[in-house]
Amino acid sequence: MDVFALRDKLVEDYSEYTQSFIKISDRYIKKAVDDALRQGKLWPEPLLQLNPTFFPGGGIDDLVRDGTLHSECAKIFRIGKTEKDHIGKPLVLHAHQTEAIRKAKENRSYVLTSGTGSGKSLAYIIPIVDHVLRRGSGQGIQAIVVYPMNALANSQIEELEKFLMRGYPEDQSPVSFARYTGQEKMEEREAMRISPPDILLTNYMMLELLLTRSEDRALVNAAQGLRFLVFDELHTYRGRQGADVALLIRRCRNAFGGHDIICVGTSATM
């Protein structure tokens, strides 16, 4: 395919469409508009970009073999899982993902900045799941992941379902997770309070409410000994909102267990 020829054809078709509803009576104005259209003022020049490639960081299986990750991670983190194919293919990591996983294994907090589509979510989801597998599911809330928008939390739920539910019998996932963003029905919230998930996905406003509402005291108690506190899209918290979130992180550390919490931030633009 000739992408430049395709671009020219698209511009030509759009130009004809645009001119079909431009009816100008004044001949001077009409000439100025026609000249502008001929000069391409309504559309930019072709832009050619190359997608960046990232340094390879080995595979999940390699990290399992050297003891960095729990053996079950080799079954969980596979790409291409579908409703019909629960096995998928081995997951190959980028170097920055592997480095982030190793930082978490060293009990170190970190901020990961990398381009869109570079797998930043896996860089914290994998060590979280590894931790739950080693400690055991059902030991309370072991990780809280905070998103700036509910849409991002919803998208992450879908990804977790692929990894943690496909390949396992119904209701027998080795790691439990739930969303707490204000979209849930009362029954769902009550179920979470009775049986807290291993991983809680939320937004910063709901996390603030969770710390203060008496009805959510059960979730606060369940998060004692929290291991991971993650803030996705860290660059969105600027100015006064950034100060609010900084204080929220401090309150979370005080409420959930102090200095043993691994704090993680991700951003594509920082």
Side-chain angles (χ1 to χ4, degrees):
M1 176 186 292
D2 185 337
V3 294
F4 295 103
L6 175 62
R7 180 262 179 191
D8 291 340
K9 183 64 169 63
L10 287 173
V11 168
E12 180 184 351
D13 291 345
Y14 186 69
S15 176
E16 291 178 359
Y17 166 73
T18 301
Q19 294 178 69
S20 68
F21 56 80
I22 296 178
K23 306 298 181 184
I24 302 174
S25 299
D26 187 286
R27 60 191 181 93
Y28 296 105
I29 297 176
K30 184 177 186 306
K31 181 178 183 307
V33 171
D34 289 343
D35 289 344
L37 290 173
R38 279 193 297 272
Q39 294 169 16
K41 293 292 181 64
L42 291 186
W43 30 83
E45 291 297 314
L47 175 64
L48 183 64
Q49 292 181 319
L50 298 176
N51 286 331
T53 56
F54 301 96
F55 289 114
I60 287 288
D61 293 349
D62 298 323
L63 295 177
V64 168
R65 277 193 292 270
D66 68 19
T68 301
L69 295 178
H70 190 281
S71 59
E72 196 68 14
C73 288
K75 177 180 178 180
I76 293 171
F77 293 106
R78 298 177 68 86
I79 59 172
K81 286 185 178 181
T82 65
E83 292 291 346
K84 295 182 179 180
D85 178 12
H86 289 175
I87 298 176
K89 301 176 182 178
L91 175 62
V92 178
L93 299 170
H94 301 310
H96 60 266
Q97 293 173 312
T98 301
E99 184 179 356
I101 292 168
R102 294 194 186 280
K103 293 290 185 189
K105 294 297 290 185
E106 295 169 4
N107 301 325
R108 297 174 64 181
S109 297
Y110 58 90
V111 174
L112 174 61
T113 63
S114 183
T116 300
S118 61
K120 291 185 292 298
S121 296
L122 279 178
Y124 59 79
I125 289 297
I126 291 173
I128 287 173
V129 169
D130 173 72
H131 172 73
V132 175
L133 290 171
R134 293 178 186 275
R135 188 182 180 208
S137 181
Q139 304 294 316
I141 299 173
Q142 302 184 50
I144 296 177
V145 186
V146 184
Y147 297 92
M149 296 182 293
N150 288 346
L152 294 174
N154 297 341
S155 176
Q156 190 64 70
I157 281 285
E158 295 176 3
E159 290 301 306
L160 288 174
E161 287 174 350
K162 292 177 186 177
F163 285 123
L164 294 171
M165 297 178 70
R166 290 178 181 172
Y168 295 95
E170 188 174 355
D171 297 327
Q172 293 187 34
S173 169
V175 179
S176 62
F177 55 92
R179 181 190 63 194
Y180 192 62
T181 60
Q183 306 170 81
E184 300 76 29
K185 297 178 181 178
M186 186 62 70
E187 311 88 76
E188 294 176 295
R189 295 189 189 185
E190 191 57 36
M192 270 185 273
R193 292 163 186 153
I194 295 172
S195 180
D198 300 315
I199 305 173
L200 184 70
L201 281 62
T202 187
N203 58 56
Y204 75 96
M205 289 297 294
M206 288 302 294
L207 181 55
E208 184 85 59
L209 288 173
L210 187 150
L211 290 174
T212 58
R213 294 195 301 201
S214 59
E215 59 264 36
D216 286 328
R217 183 52 52 185
L219 292 176
V220 174
N221 293 336
Q224 297 304 306
L226 184 77
R227 189 57 171 158
F228 287 89
L229 179 60
V230 180
F231 279 79
D232 197 50
E233 302 294 346
L234 197 61
H235 62 274
T236 59
Y237 306 114
R238 298 173 182 270
R240 184 181 65 80
Q241 187 183 57
D244 289 344
V245 169
L247 292 171
L248 174 61
I249 292 173
R250 290 174 173 85
R251 289 195 294 275
C252 286
R253 291 173 73 94
N254 289 332
F256 300 140
H259 302 293
D260 291 333
I261 297 176
I262 297 174
C263 292
V264 178
T266 69
S267 173
T269 62
M270 286 180 66

PDB file of all heavy atoms in Angstrom, residues 14-26 29-38 42-43:
ATOM      1  N   TYR A  14     -12.231  14.379   0.695  1.00  0.00           N
ATOM      2  CA  TYR A  14     -12.728  15.284   1.724  1.00  0.00           C
ATOM      3  C   TYR A  14     -12.864  16.701   1.185  1.00  0.00           C
ATOM      4  O   TYR A  14     -13.793  17.426   1.547  1.00  0.00           O
ATOM      5  CB  TYR A  14     -11.795  15.274   2.943  1.00  0.00           C
ATOM      6  CG  TYR A  14     -12.321  16.077   4.107  1.00  0.00           C
ATOM      7  CD1 TYR A  14     -13.434  15.648   4.816  1.00  0.00           C
ATOM      8  CD2 TYR A  14     -11.723  17.278   4.480  1.00  0.00           C
ATOM      9  CE1 TYR A  14     -13.936  16.380   5.875  1.00  0.00           C
ATOM     10  CE2 TYR A  14     -12.221  18.023   5.543  1.00  0.00           C
ATOM     11  CZ  TYR A  14     -13.323  17.568   6.237  1.00  0.00           C
ATOM     12  OH  TYR A  14     -13.830  18.301   7.275  1.00  0.00           O
ATOM     13  N   SER A  15     -11.966  17.095   0.298  1.00  0.00           N
ATOM     14  CA  SER A  15     -12.049  18.425  -0.311  1.00  0.00           C
ATOM     15  C   SER A  15     -13.325  18.575  -1.132  1.00  0.00           C
ATOM     16  O   SER A  15     -14.027  19.591  -1.048  1.00  0.00           O
ATOM     17  CB  SER A  15     -10.818  18.659  -1.186  1.00  0.00           C
ATOM     18  OG  SER A  15     -10.921  19.901  -1.862  1.00  0.00           O
ATOM     19  N   GLU A  16     -13.626  17.531  -1.908  1.00  0.00           N
ATOM     20  CA  GLU A  16     -14.860  17.575  -2.710  1.00  0.00           C
ATOM     21  C   GLU A  16     -16.093  17.628  -1.807  1.00  0.00           C
ATOM     22  O   GLU A  16     -17.043  18.368  -2.083  1.00  0.00           O
ATOM     23  CB  GLU A  16     -14.928  16.352  -3.623  1.00  0.00           C
ATOM     24  CG  GLU A  16     -13.884  16.353  -4.735  1.00  0.00           C
ATOM     25  CD  GLU A  16     -13.956  15.110  -5.588  1.00  0.00           C
ATOM     26  OE1 GLU A  16     -14.815  14.232  -5.283  1.00  0.00           O
ATOM     27  OE2 GLU A  16     -13.163  14.988  -6.537  1.00  0.00           O
ATOM     28  N   TYR A  17     -16.049  16.854  -0.737  1.00  0.00           N
ATOM     29  CA  TYR A  17     -17.175  16.867   0.202  1.00  0.00           C
ATOM     30  C   TYR A  17     -17.325  18.246   0.833  1.00  0.00           C
ATOM     31  O   TYR A  17     -18.435  18.783   0.943  1.00  0.00           O
ATOM     32  CB  TYR A  17     -16.937  15.805   1.274  1.00  0.00           C
ATOM     33  CG  TYR A  17     -17.846  15.924   2.483  1.00  0.00           C
ATOM     34  CD1 TYR A  17     -19.192  15.581   2.396  1.00  0.00           C
ATOM     35  CD2 TYR A  17     -17.357  16.390   3.693  1.00  0.00           C
ATOM     36  CE1 TYR A  17     -20.030  15.700   3.492  1.00  0.00           C
ATOM     37  CE2 TYR A  17     -18.174  16.518   4.796  1.00  0.00           C
ATOM     38  CZ  TYR A  17     -19.513  16.173   4.695  1.00  0.00           C
ATOM     39  OH  TYR A  17     -20.330  16.308   5.785  1.00  0.00           O
ATOM     40  N   THR A  18     -16.210  18.852   1.247  1.00  0.00           N
ATOM     41  CA  THR A  18     -16.250  20.160   1.902  1.00  0.00           C
ATOM     42  C   THR A  18     -16.801  21.232   0.956  1.00  0.00           C
ATOM     43  O   THR A  18     -17.649  22.048   1.333  1.00  0.00           O
ATOM     44  CB  THR A  18     -14.842  20.565   2.374  1.00  0.00           C
ATOM     45  OG1 THR A  18     -14.355  19.573   3.273  1.00  0.00           O
ATOM     46  CG2 THR A  18     -14.873  21.912   3.088  1.00  0.00           C
ATOM     47  N   GLN A  19     -16.317  21.210  -0.281  1.00  0.00           N
ATOM     48  CA  GLN A  19     -16.742  22.238  -1.241  1.00  0.00           C
ATOM     49  C   GLN A  19     -18.192  22.064  -1.687  1.00  0.00           C
ATOM     50  O   GLN A  19     -18.802  23.011  -2.190  1.00  0.00           O
ATOM     51  CB  GLN A  19     -15.814  22.216  -2.454  1.00  0.00           C
ATOM     52  CG  GLN A  19     -14.388  22.636  -2.126  1.00  0.00           C
ATOM     53  CD  GLN A  19     -13.478  22.566  -3.332  1.00  0.00           C
ATOM     54  OE1 GLN A  19     -13.628  23.372  -4.265  1.00  0.00           O
ATOM     55  NE2 GLN A  19     -12.550  21.621  -3.327  1.00  0.00           N
ATOM     56  N   SER A  20     -18.742  20.876  -1.491  1.00  0.00           N
ATOM     57  CA  SER A  20     -20.112  20.625  -1.956  1.00  0.00           C
ATOM     58  C   SER A  20     -21.143  21.452  -1.195  1.00  0.00           C
ATOM     59  O   SER A  20     -22.245  21.684  -1.689  1.00  0.00           O
ATOM     60  CB  SER A  20     -20.444  19.134  -1.839  1.00  0.00           C
ATOM     61  OG  SER A  20     -20.524  18.743  -0.474  1.00  0.00           O
ATOM     62  N   PHE A  21     -20.830  21.877   0.050  1.00  0.00           N
ATOM     63  CA  PHE A  21     -21.807  22.662   0.792  1.00  0.00           C
ATOM     64  C   PHE A  21     -21.321  24.086   1.077  1.00  0.00           C
ATOM     65  O   PHE A  21     -21.885  24.783   1.906  1.00  0.00           O
ATOM     66  CB  PHE A  21     -22.206  21.963   2.099  1.00  0.00           C
ATOM     67  CG  PHE A  21     -21.059  21.625   3.009  1.00  0.00           C
ATOM     68  CD1 PHE A  21     -20.493  22.588   3.820  1.00  0.00           C
ATOM     69  CD2 PHE A  21     -20.563  20.331   3.043  1.00  0.00           C
ATOM     70  CE1 PHE A  21     -19.445  22.274   4.655  1.00  0.00           C
ATOM     71  CE2 PHE A  21     -19.511  20.013   3.882  1.00  0.00           C
ATOM     72  CZ  PHE A  21     -18.946  20.981   4.701  1.00  0.00           C
ATOM     73  N   ILE A  22     -20.264  24.521   0.373  1.00  0.00           N
ATOM     74  CA  ILE A  22     -19.816  25.911   0.503  1.00  0.00           C
ATOM     75  C   ILE A  22     -20.418  26.723  -0.641  1.00  0.00           C
ATOM     76  O   ILE A  22     -20.066  26.519  -1.813  1.00  0.00           O
ATOM     77  CB  ILE A  22     -18.279  26.013   0.470  1.00  0.00           C
ATOM     78  CG1 ILE A  22     -17.674  25.281   1.681  1.00  0.00           C
ATOM     79  CG2 ILE A  22     -17.827  27.476   0.456  1.00  0.00           C
ATOM     80  CD1 ILE A  22     -16.163  25.296   1.711  1.00  0.00           C
ATOM     81  N   LYS A  23     -21.340  27.589  -0.342  1.00  0.00           N
ATOM     82  CA  LYS A  23     -22.010  28.441  -1.330  1.00  0.00           C
ATOM     83  C   LYS A  23     -21.780  29.899  -0.930  1.00  0.00           C
ATOM     84  O   LYS A  23     -22.397  30.400   0.008  1.00  0.00           O
ATOM     85  CB  LYS A  23     -23.509  28.144  -1.381  1.00  0.00           C
ATOM     86  CG  LYS A  23     -23.871  26.682  -1.620  1.00  0.00           C
ATOM     87  CD  LYS A  23     -23.360  26.181  -2.970  1.00  0.00           C
ATOM     88  CE  LYS A  23     -23.748  24.722  -3.191  1.00  0.00           C
ATOM     89  NZ  LYS A  23     -23.177  24.188  -4.456  1.00  0.00           N
ATOM     90  N   ILE A  24     -20.874  30.567  -1.649  1.00  0.00           N
ATOM     91  CA  ILE A  24     -20.521  31.941  -1.322  1.00  0.00           C
ATOM     92  C   ILE A  24     -20.888  32.843  -2.492  1.00  0.00           C
ATOM     93  O   ILE A  24     -20.441  32.619  -3.634  1.00  0.00           O
ATOM     94  CB  ILE A  24     -19.011  32.056  -1.013  1.00  0.00           C
ATOM     95  CG1 ILE A  24     -18.653  31.114   0.154  1.00  0.00           C
ATOM     96  CG2 ILE A  24     -18.625  33.499  -0.688  1.00  0.00           C
ATOM     97  CD1 ILE A  24     -17.183  31.049   0.443  1.00  0.00           C
ATOM     98  N   SER A  25     -21.666  33.854  -2.219  1.00  0.00           N
ATOM     99  CA  SER A  25     -22.120  34.759  -3.275  1.00  0.00           C
ATOM    100  C   SER A  25     -21.062  35.801  -3.627  1.00  0.00           C
ATOM    101  O   SER A  25     -20.857  36.118  -4.814  1.00  0.00           O
ATOM    102  CB  SER A  25     -23.421  35.469  -2.839  1.00  0.00           C
ATOM    103  OG  SER A  25     -24.442  34.519  -2.617  1.00  0.00           O
ATOM    104  N   ASP A  26     -20.395  36.343  -2.636  1.00  0.00           N
ATOM    105  CA  ASP A  26     -19.403  37.388  -2.901  1.00  0.00           C
ATOM    106  C   ASP A  26     -18.191  36.770  -3.597  1.00  0.00           C
ATOM    107  O   ASP A  26     -17.539  35.861  -3.068  1.00  0.00           O
ATOM    108  CB  ASP A  26     -18.985  38.029  -1.577  1.00  0.00           C
ATOM    109  CG  ASP A  26     -18.084  39.230  -1.804  1.00  0.00           C
ATOM    110  OD1 ASP A  26     -16.899  39.014  -2.147  1.00  0.00           O
ATOM    111  OD2 ASP A  26     -18.555  40.366  -1.627  1.00  0.00           O
ATOM    112  N   ILE A  29     -14.724  36.952  -1.653  1.00  0.00           N
ATOM    113  CA  ILE A  29     -14.643  35.988  -0.545  1.00  0.00           C
ATOM    114  C   ILE A  29     -14.529  34.568  -1.092  1.00  0.00           C
ATOM    115  O   ILE A  29     -13.738  33.752  -0.601  1.00  0.00           O
ATOM    116  CB  ILE A  29     -15.870  36.117   0.376  1.00  0.00           C
ATOM    117  CG1 ILE A  29     -15.901  37.501   1.029  1.00  0.00           C
ATOM    118  CG2 ILE A  29     -15.847  35.026   1.449  1.00  0.00           C
ATOM    119  CD1 ILE A  29     -17.118  37.755   1.882  1.00  0.00           C
ATOM    120  N   LYS A  30     -15.313  34.297  -2.172  1.00  0.00           N
ATOM    121  CA  LYS A  30     -15.272  32.963  -2.769  1.00  0.00           C
ATOM    122  C   LYS A  30     -13.870  32.638  -3.288  1.00  0.00           C
ATOM    123  O   LYS A  30     -13.358  31.526  -3.102  1.00  0.00           O
ATOM    124  CB  LYS A  30     -16.286  32.868  -3.901  1.00  0.00           C
ATOM    125  CG  LYS A  30     -16.386  31.468  -4.533  1.00  0.00           C
ATOM    126  CD  LYS A  30     -17.466  31.428  -5.595  1.00  0.00           C
ATOM    127  CE  LYS A  30     -17.665  30.016  -6.126  1.00  0.00           C
ATOM    128  NZ  LYS A  30     -16.424  29.384  -6.608  1.00  0.00           N
ATOM    129  N   LYS A  31     -13.230  33.645  -3.935  1.00  0.00           N
ATOM    130  CA  LYS A  31     -11.880  33.419  -4.464  1.00  0.00           C
ATOM    131  C   LYS A  31     -10.890  33.136  -3.320  1.00  0.00           C
ATOM    132  O   LYS A  31     -10.040  32.245  -3.422  1.00  0.00           O
ATOM    133  CB  LYS A  31     -11.413  34.632  -5.264  1.00  0.00           C
ATOM    134  CG  LYS A  31     -10.019  34.468  -5.883  1.00  0.00           C
ATOM    135  CD  LYS A  31      -9.635  35.676  -6.693  1.00  0.00           C
ATOM    136  CE  LYS A  31      -8.263  35.462  -7.363  1.00  0.00           C
ATOM    137  NZ  LYS A  31      -7.208  35.074  -6.431  1.00  0.00           N
ATOM    138  N   ALA A  32     -11.008  33.900  -2.220  1.00  0.00           N
ATOM    139  CA  ALA A  32     -10.099  33.696  -1.079  1.00  0.00           C
ATOM    140  C   ALA A  32     -10.284  32.306  -0.483  1.00  0.00           C
ATOM    141  O   ALA A  32      -9.299  31.628  -0.134  1.00  0.00           O
ATOM    142  CB  ALA A  32     -10.348  34.774  -0.033  1.00  0.00           C
ATOM    143  N   VAL A  33     -11.531  31.861  -0.360  1.00  0.00           N
ATOM    144  CA  VAL A  33     -11.805  30.536   0.195  1.00  0.00           C
ATOM    145  C   VAL A  33     -11.303  29.448  -0.745  1.00  0.00           C
ATOM    146  O   VAL A  33     -10.668  28.474  -0.319  1.00  0.00           O
ATOM    147  CB  VAL A  33     -13.307  30.371   0.479  1.00  0.00           C
ATOM    148  CG1 VAL A  33     -13.631  28.928   0.854  1.00  0.00           C
ATOM    149  CG2 VAL A  33     -13.752  31.314   1.585  1.00  0.00           C
ATOM    150  N   ASP A  34     -11.562  29.609  -2.066  1.00  0.00           N
ATOM    151  CA  ASP A  34     -11.100  28.616  -3.040  1.00  0.00           C
ATOM    152  C   ASP A  34      -9.579  28.507  -3.048  1.00  0.00           C
ATOM    153  O   ASP A  34      -9.018  27.404  -3.122  1.00  0.00           O
ATOM    154  CB  ASP A  34     -11.610  28.971  -4.441  1.00  0.00           C
ATOM    155  CG  ASP A  34     -13.110  28.766  -4.590  1.00  0.00           C
ATOM    156  OD1 ASP A  34     -13.682  28.050  -3.742  1.00  0.00           O
ATOM    157  OD2 ASP A  34     -13.704  29.313  -5.536  1.00  0.00           O
ATOM    158  N   ASP A  35      -8.910  29.670  -2.962  1.00  0.00           N
ATOM    159  CA  ASP A  35      -7.445  29.660  -2.929  1.00  0.00           C
ATOM    160  C   ASP A  35      -6.935  28.930  -1.684  1.00  0.00           C
ATOM    161  O   ASP A  35      -5.967  28.156  -1.759  1.00  0.00           O
ATOM    162  CB  ASP A  35      -6.914  31.093  -2.943  1.00  0.00           C
ATOM    163  CG  ASP A  35      -7.104  31.771  -4.293  1.00  0.00           C
ATOM    164  OD1 ASP A  35      -7.357  31.044  -5.288  1.00  0.00           O
ATOM    165  OD2 ASP A  35      -7.015  33.020  -4.365  1.00  0.00           O
ATOM    166  N   ALA A  36      -7.587  29.193  -0.566  1.00  0.00           N
ATOM    167  CA  ALA A  36      -7.171  28.542   0.687  1.00  0.00           C
ATOM    168  C   ALA A  36      -7.353  27.029   0.600  1.00  0.00           C
ATOM    169  O   ALA A  36      -6.499  26.257   1.064  1.00  0.00           O
ATOM    170  CB  ALA A  36      -7.974  29.112   1.851  1.00  0.00           C
ATOM    171  N   LEU A  37      -8.467  26.599  -0.007  1.00  0.00           N
ATOM    172  CA  LEU A  37      -8.708  25.167  -0.150  1.00  0.00           C
ATOM    173  C   LEU A  37      -7.672  24.525  -1.074  1.00  0.00           C
ATOM    174  O   LEU A  37      -7.180  23.428  -0.805  1.00  0.00           O
ATOM    175  CB  LEU A  37     -10.119  24.924  -0.680  1.00  0.00           C
ATOM    176  CG  LEU A  37     -11.275  25.230   0.289  1.00  0.00           C
ATOM    177  CD1 LEU A  37     -12.614  25.108  -0.421  1.00  0.00           C
ATOM    178  CD2 LEU A  37     -11.234  24.300   1.492  1.00  0.00           C
ATOM    179  N   ARG A  38      -7.332  25.220  -2.184  1.00  0.00           N
ATOM    180  CA  ARG A  38      -6.338  24.678  -3.103  1.00  0.00           C
ATOM    181  C   ARG A  38      -4.957  24.569  -2.456  1.00  0.00           C
ATOM    182  O   ARG A  38      -4.169  23.673  -2.765  1.00  0.00           O
ATOM    183  CB  ARG A  38      -6.256  25.552  -4.364  1.00  0.00           C
ATOM    184  CG  ARG A  38      -7.350  25.267  -5.393  1.00  0.00           C
ATOM    185  CD  ARG A  38      -7.037  25.918  -6.726  1.00  0.00           C
ATOM    186  NE  ARG A  38      -6.990  27.376  -6.618  1.00  0.00           N
ATOM    187  CZ  ARG A  38      -8.061  28.160  -6.759  1.00  0.00           C
ATOM    188  NH1 ARG A  38      -9.238  27.611  -7.024  1.00  0.00           N
ATOM    189  NH2 ARG A  38      -7.949  29.463  -6.646  1.00  0.00           N
ATOM    190  N   LEU A  42      -6.867  23.445   5.061  1.00  0.00           N
ATOM    191  CA  LEU A  42      -7.724  22.701   5.989  1.00  0.00           C
ATOM    192  C   LEU A  42      -7.129  21.358   6.418  1.00  0.00           C
ATOM    193  O   LEU A  42      -7.693  20.687   7.271  1.00  0.00           O
ATOM    194  CB  LEU A  42      -9.108  22.459   5.364  1.00  0.00           C
ATOM    195  CG  LEU A  42     -10.005  23.674   5.170  1.00  0.00           C
ATOM    196  CD1 LEU A  42     -11.378  23.240   4.692  1.00  0.00           C
ATOM    197  CD2 LEU A  42     -10.137  24.465   6.456  1.00  0.00           C
ATOM    198  N   TRP A  43      -6.010  20.953   5.824  1.00  0.00           N
ATOM    199  CA  TRP A  43      -5.434  19.674   6.190  1.00  0.00           C
ATOM    200  C   TRP A  43      -3.917  19.777   6.209  1.00  0.00           C
ATOM    201  O   TRP A  43      -3.296  20.472   5.401  1.00  0.00           O
ATOM    202  CB  TRP A  43      -5.865  18.573   5.214  1.00  0.00           C
ATOM    203  CG  TRP A  43      -6.126  19.080   3.834  1.00  0.00           C
ATOM    204  CD1 TRP A  43      -5.224  19.307   2.846  1.00  0.00           C
ATOM    205  CD2 TRP A  43      -7.401  19.468   3.305  1.00  0.00           C
ATOM    206  NE1 TRP A  43      -5.839  19.804   1.735  1.00  0.00           N
ATOM    207  CE2 TRP A  43      -7.178  19.912   1.982  1.00  0.00           C
ATOM    208  CE3 TRP A  43      -8.705  19.459   3.809  1.00  0.00           C
ATOM    209  CZ2 TRP A  43      -8.210  20.346   1.160  1.00  0.00           C
ATOM    210  CZ3 TRP A  43      -9.725  19.903   3.000  1.00  0.00           C
ATOM    211  CH2 TRP A  43      -9.478  20.337   1.691  1.00  0.00           C
TER     212      TRP A  43
END
